[in-house]
Amino acid sequence: MARKSGDGEDRPTPAQIELARLIANRHEVQLRFGFESDGAWTRKFLDVFAYDPEMEEDVFRRLRNVAQYVREGRDMPEMARKIGLRADQVEFMIEVLRDSDYDMDEVVEDFDTDPEDAAWRDMERDYEARQVEYY
């Protein structure tokens, strides 16, 4: 249950703040500056990163998979489907991981789709391989 400050702000409870800190430490992610005053953000963090003790590995798996999917350049609906979260939850997870300096730079490979170019490249590799002398 969130509490209202004197000025009507939605603030997380002390228990939510402490749990968010514990979970952030466990997953090696950084909490947003001022999260103690932002009930909506803290609850969203807990919703995405908190876990049932019997299902703790699921969160670690999701973190690994999301980072990999971002590097592969997959789209949001596919990532959400594969890890079992809503798209907005995946976006939030990616935002937290990026703020925590997770290595998630998209790997863009220059795929050559022209079959003729690919054939020439294969012939060049074959020629180079045959040039190596084995003793």
Side-chain angles (χ1 to χ4, degrees), residues 2 24 40 44-45 60 81 83 91 93 101 111 113 126:
K44 194 167 190 175
F45 177 84
F60 286 104
R81 182 181 54 78
I83 66 170
E91 282 183 53
M93 184 179 275
D101 295 327
F111 291 111
T113 57
D126 185 48

Side-chain angles (χ1 to χ4, degrees), residues 2 9-13 16-17 32-45:
E9 271 187 43
D10 180 23
R11 300 174 55 90
T13 65
Q16 289 172 329
I17 292 170
R32 186 172 101 179
F33 179 77
F35 82 97
E36 301 93 340
S37 303
D38 190 345
W41 190 92
T42 303
R43 282 188 297 284
K44 194 167 190 175
F45 177 84

Side-chain angles (χ1 to χ4, degrees), residues 12 15-17 19-21 23-24 27 29 31 35 38-52 55-56 58-60 62-63 83-94 96:
Q16 289 172 329
I17 292 170
L19 183 58
R21 286 184 175 131
I23 290 170
H27 294 298
V29 296
L31 295 168
F35 82 97
D38 190 345
W41 190 92
T42 303
R43 282 188 297 284
K44 194 167 190 175
F45 177 84
L46 292 173
D47 189 38
V48 172
F49 288 90
Y51 50 85
D52 179 337
M55 314 245 328
E56 178 180 12
D58 283 352
V59 177
F60 286 104
R62 285 177 180 157
L63 293 173
I83 66 170
L85 293 175
R86 295 185 320 265
D88 66 307
Q89 292 173 313
V90 174
E91 282 183 53
F92 182 81
M93 184 179 275
I94 291 169
V96 170

